[in-house]
Amino acid sequence: RALTMADDDAPPALAAPSANDADATKLDVQTGARVALDGLGPIVVGVDGTMSRISNWTALSERERETALRRLAKRNNERLEALKSGERSIES
């Protein structure tokens, strides 16, 4: 028996773009061109191998960004080496 979804059970539609989205960067994913995401900030490697970014990167001063980059580079390398050597499991 096929399951059907009544109109009342339909998932909500996505919200329309806000006026603030007008100046957002738009990416053309059809061309296969490389896209730099530097404006989002550096990738942070977690102890379990997960990756994230610094949420307030754009609000940091240039000096704060330089300090964060220096510290993250060292910490990310340490964490990646620990993961590669098996000290921590990505799946744990």
Side-chain angles (χ1 to χ4, degrees):
R1 172 176 153 188
L3 296 175
T4 58
M5 186 181 297
D7 288 340
D8 294 341
D9 296 333
L14 293 175
S18 70
N20 295 337
D21 292 340
D23 60 346
T25 302
K26 297 194 177 22
L27 304 176
D28 179 6
V29 295
Q30 301 292 326
T31 63
R34 290 181 179 213
V35 177
L37 301 175
D38 296 341
L40 299 176
I43 292 179
V44 179
V45 178
V47 294
D48 60 352
T50 57
M51 292 183 273
S52 62
R53 294 192 182 264
I54 299 173
S55 60
N56 67 335
W57 182 253
T58 57
L60 298 178
S61 69
E62 192 61 35
R63 183 173 178 179
E64 290 171 320
R65 288 181 185 194
E66 290 171 2
T67 301
L69 283 172
R70 187 176 63 251
R71 290 182 178 175
L72 278 175
K74 181 180 179 189
R75 189 173 66 197
N76 283 351
N77 284 332
E78 290 171 354
R79 288 179 176 175
L80 288 171
E81 286 304 315
L83 288 165
K84 288 177 188 174
S85 68
E87 292 178 29
R88 295 195 186 269
S89 172
I90 291 177
E91 298 168 4
S92 63

